[in-house]
Amino acid sequence: MLDHLVLATPDLAGTVDLIHLLSGDRPVPGGHHAAWGTANYLLGLGEQAFLEIIGPDPAGGTEPTIFGLDTLTGPSLVTWAARTTDIDASVAAARARGADPGAPQAMGRLTTDGRQLSWRLTPPGTGVVPFLIDWGGTTHPAARNLPMATLVELHAMSPDPDPLRATLAALDEALPIRPANRVGLRAVVHGRKGQFDLTTAP
């Protein structure tokens, strides 16, 4: 189940302005990830899902490399998170089916109003295959009265879809995969100003 899309960007403020322009609603600050040197903004996508816009923390600190931020030259839909309510069982089941999403790790961040959010996730990378996330007892960010848009469609692109389908099936996830000359993601989002696309940068 889709938890959130990850739109990584080297220019956090500029990309927030862009999404505001495209959607008609301004994403709201999420918080800071001290371990990664990043900060994020959120836009709801309906169905308890959200768009995470993540980039270098404007407060400074560690230069982030997560999600390829050290090489990106513009915003890119780099990956997505699949929600689970028992991440240890999900990892074990995936491994039994021949796919290893990695060992779960604990993370957290402070929200802008000082609340602590905690979750566990498998190591996030980039690409079509999602990482897993388990919010445990933490209130899901999408329940925070976020500004809203609607996710109309999400699909993957790949010149060789079959191995990706097998990996997704091992994670108990399904995602339409369209033939293309590169691997990536495309999301179609509808906001108050109409429809727009988010894609993986070439």
Side-chain angles (χ1 to χ4, degrees):
M1 174 190 297
L2 172 68
D3 185 83
H4 64 275
L5 302 177
V6 180
L7 185 70
T9 175
D11 178 6
L12 187 56
T15 301
V16 169
D17 287 344
L18 174 63
I19 297 301
H20 182 200
L21 179 67
L22 293 172
S23 71
D25 283 289
R26 177 167 287 277
V28 296
H32 306 265
H33 310 103
W36 290 348
T38 56
N40 66 4
Y41 281 70
L42 309 179
L43 177 71
L45 292 176
E47 301 296 328
Q48 289 294 294
F50 63 95
L51 171 68
E52 176 184 30
I53 306 165
I54 187 168
D57 192 336
T62 304
E63 288 296 323
T65 59
I66 190 78
F67 300 127
L69 282 169
D70 55 333
T71 60
L72 286 177
T73 58
S76 178
L77 188 61
V78 291
T79 191
W80 60 291
R83 184 159 66 248
T84 176
T85 56
D86 188 340
I87 196 166
D88 295 307
S90 295
V91 168
R95 287 172 174 166
R97 299 182 189 117
D100 186 358
Q105 54 191 263
M107 275 202 69
R109 65 172 168 84
L110 283 175
T111 64
T112 53
D113 58 6
R115 292 180 298 114
Q116 177 69 39
L117 297 186
S118 301
W119 62 90
R120 296 175 71 208
L121 77 171
T122 55
T126 59
V128 171
V129 177
F131 60 95
L132 305 178
I133 190 165
D134 183 346
W135 292 95
T138 292
T139 301
H140 194 271
R144 265 190 62 203
N145 194 29
L146 297 177
M148 292 295 296
T150 300
L151 180 63
V152 177
E153 181 185 350
L154 174 65
H155 67 259
M157 303 172 287
S158 174
D160 189 12
D162 288 341
L164 288 175
R165 289 194 183 98
T167 301
L168 289 167
L171 295 173
D172 200 23
E173 297 293 335
L175 185 67
I177 304 175
R178 297 185 179 176
N181 59 6
R182 67 186 183 97
V183 176
L185 294 165
R186 176 175 178 259
V188 180
V189 180
H190 187 83
R192 290 194 297 115
K193 286 192 173 181
Q195 195 161 286
F196 59 97
D197 286 7
L198 302 171
T199 60
T200 303

